[in-house]
Amino acid sequence: MSEKVTVISNSKSIVSIFIPELRLKRTWNKKGSKIAIDKEVLEEAMYDPGVEYMFKTGILYIKDMQDKIDLGLEPEGATKPENIIILTDDEKKEWMSPKKQAWELKTMLEKLSHESRKDFCDFVIENELLEGKKAEVIKEVCGVDIVRAIQLKQANEAE
């Protein structure tokens, strides 16, 4: 019996992998969806630029560190994510809390992939998490004016 790897979607959109020659067709319908895939098949699928992109940007991710190392997503001997950092909702809230400094947030955001930054901004806007200078840091690093986005969100809800 072949070893399985659990692949989790980090995207609010529908995400699919379709590689006919590997007989691989999987669809994640929502964020947090989990699908088990044979490790050998996934190793082959990683040669597809689209599949590789989805993993390297955090659209799809794997929690198990050893599986990430085996698939070449993290360096040998890594004990915590270095290349692909996925934040939980609790971690996102903590980063926007007064406990964290704006410079710390900037350092952390610069380590995230484009997709993870976008996900972070969406979460901040959705939950209306405004914290002083952090809005300026987010605008500088991510290019998103969360103050304006939250104002627009509130205006839409008021209508």
Side-chain angles (χ1 to χ4, degrees), residues 96 120-122 124-125 128-132 134-136 138-139 142-152:
M96 290 305 291
F120 182 83
C121 292
D122 290 346
V124 169
I125 293 164
E128 299 180 12
L129 302 174
L130 276 177
E131 176 61 40
K134 291 180 183 174
E136 295 170 28
I138 292 171
K139 186 174 183 178
C142 303
V144 176
D145 186 348
I146 63 166
V147 174
R148 185 73 182 126
I150 290 172
Q151 289 170 345
L152 290 170

Side-chain angles (χ1 to χ4, degrees), residues 81-121:
E82 294 175 21
N83 295 336
I84 305 154
I85 301 168
I86 305 294
L87 300 174
T88 64
D89 289 351
D90 289 337
E91 289 171 327
K92 292 172 194 167
K93 284 179 188 172
E94 187 176 325
W95 277 108
M96 290 305 291
S97 75
K99 293 186 282 184
K100 298 284 187 178
Q101 299 294 316
W103 66 268
E104 292 175 300
L105 177 67
K106 182 177 181 180
T107 302
M108 183 277 299
L109 286 172
E110 288 172 343
K111 292 179 184 176
L112 295 180
S113 69
H114 174 74
E115 293 293 331
S116 293
R117 286 182 192 163
K118 183 177 174 291
D119 182 56
F120 182 83
C121 292

Side-chain angles (χ1 to χ4, degrees), residues 1-18:
M1 185 160 175
S2 63
E3 190 178 340
K4 298 278 189 178
V5 175
T6 301
V7 178
I8 306 165
S9 172
N10 193 41
S11 176
K12 290 180 183 176
S13 304
I14 295 173
V15 178
S16 293
I17 293 177
F18 180 54

Side-chain angles (χ1 to χ4, degrees), residues 20-37:
E21 57 271 15
L22 296 176
R23 294 185 179 185
L24 176 62
K25 183 177 183 179
R26 300 288 188 281
T27 301
W28 293 261
N29 291 317
K30 61 181 180 172
K31 185 174 182 169
S33 298
K34 298 177 182 181
I35 296 178
I37 301 176

